[in-house]
Amino acid sequence: MWYHRLSHLQSRFQNLLKGGVKCQVLQQPNFKNLFPIDIHWHHTTSKSLNCAWQQLEDHFELQYANTVMRFDYVWLRDHCRSASCYNSKTHQRSLDTASVDLCIKPKIIRQEETTLFFTWPDGHVTRYELDWLVKNSYEGQKQKVIQPRILWNAEIYQQAQVPSIDFQSFLETNEGLKKFLQNFLLYGIAFVENVPATQEHTEKLAERISLIRETIYGRMWYFTSDFSRGDTAYTKLALDRHTDTTYFQEPCGIQVFHCLKHEGTGGRTLLVDGFYAAEQILQKAPEQFELLSKVPLKHEYIENVGECHNHMIGVGPVLNIYPWNKELYLIR
């Protein structure tokens, strides 16, 4: 039954991609309503910090930065950042997690300004900055947006007048690279102009951004409408709105396109903000958004042309979200 609903929803999602819709900003939940009011704190600090905490039998409870946080003692011991437990140069844990007693509890907890000190049964002392605890707590993560975005349709993007970056500035200056990355992270697309029409220069541009991924098509590849591969992109047929590499277990996060040669008519590029369309579903039909984000599907690519014989399957829902704050990060 859910398969038919998914087919219907995917059709509606594709229709949303065709039109322009107004952007709405997600409101963050009010965490004051999630916790009981009658909490009796054993320890308090100065009013300027607005901080209070209590040591319970199976966890530590902290109220700070308008957030109530709960930490398991095993988690706190395992996340100690002392020199003996954590390698600050490699950002890797030195402590053997399996060595931590699952029933561990601190003997003493004390506070000095914005730092908490935990003394464990073996005498080891761990220090935690209050801001670090907020940043790394589950409750803090629920209030945090991983990647701020500007959602857009054609009208919004045209009005924003996002500038392209000159190739030389992009390649030779940090400022040019910074502007490009800012545009890309905010809008999901960015443009570099005056790039010489060669695959070599395209490769230089791509390597300025990230590592180039090896795929079934190669590391970098040139294609035209000769049907040398079993893909519609290698024909003269128009490609409608879609996302690429949905059949990869990890779809490509950044794609670079460069038109090296154009003859005749057609060949226009259509770009759409899929996150924009997903936001409309979330606002207008949250139960359908939940279905699209929870039910995993198989996404397949089958190719039998010449010497190219590939059958790839990627598994995942249409919409991928972070489970702690429901933020969308990937569309298949």
Side-chain angles (χ1 to χ4, degrees), residues 148-175:
R149 297 184 179 93
I150 296 177
L151 305 183
W152 51 269
N153 57 15
E155 180 182 0
I156 293 173
Y157 192 79
Q158 289 168 358
Q159 290 180 353
Q161 296 184 330
V162 183
S164 299
I165 310 302
D166 181 74
F167 178 64
Q168 290 301 122
S169 173
F170 170 84
L171 205 61
E172 297 175 1
T173 70
N174 289 333
E175 185 62 27

Side-chain angles (χ1 to χ4, degrees), residues 117-154:
F117 294 85
F118 283 61
T119 302
W120 302 102
D122 62 358
H124 184 82
V125 177
T126 300
R127 56 182 295 167
Y128 307 97
E129 293 295 328
L130 291 174
D131 288 338
W132 185 92
L133 289 171
V134 173
K135 179 181 177 181
N136 290 278
S137 69
Y138 184 77
E139 294 82 4
Q141 290 290 323
K142 288 173 71 174
Q143 301 179 68
K144 180 183 178 183
V145 175
I146 301 297
Q147 176 54 57
R149 297 184 179 93
I150 296 177
L151 305 183
W152 51 269
N153 57 15

Side-chain angles (χ1 to χ4, degrees), residues 90-106:
T90 64
H91 301 284
Q92 293 173 315
R93 182 184 282 102
S94 302
L95 175 69
D96 178 13
T97 301
S99 68
V100 180
D101 183 359
L102 295 179
C103 298
I104 194 170
K105 290 188 295 184

Side-chain angles (χ1 to χ4, degrees), residues 295-306:
V295 179
L297 302 175
K298 288 200 303 181
H299 308 263
E300 299 190 61
Y301 175 74
I302 302 173
E303 177 185 33
N304 288 295
V305 174

Side-chain angles (χ1 to χ4, degrees), residues 210-246:
S210 181
L211 297 174
I212 300 177
R213 183 174 182 175
E214 189 71 46
T215 71
I216 59 172
Y217 303 101
R219 185 170 174 269
M220 289 192 62
W221 63 96
Y222 174 89
F223 66 94
T224 187
S225 55
D226 57 5
F227 202 60
S228 59
R229 301 294 300 262
D231 193 299
T232 310
Y234 289 76
T235 70
K236 294 182 179 180
L237 297 174
L239 289 175
D240 210 336
R241 289 148 289 264
H242 67 282
T243 61
D244 285 338
T245 65
T246 59

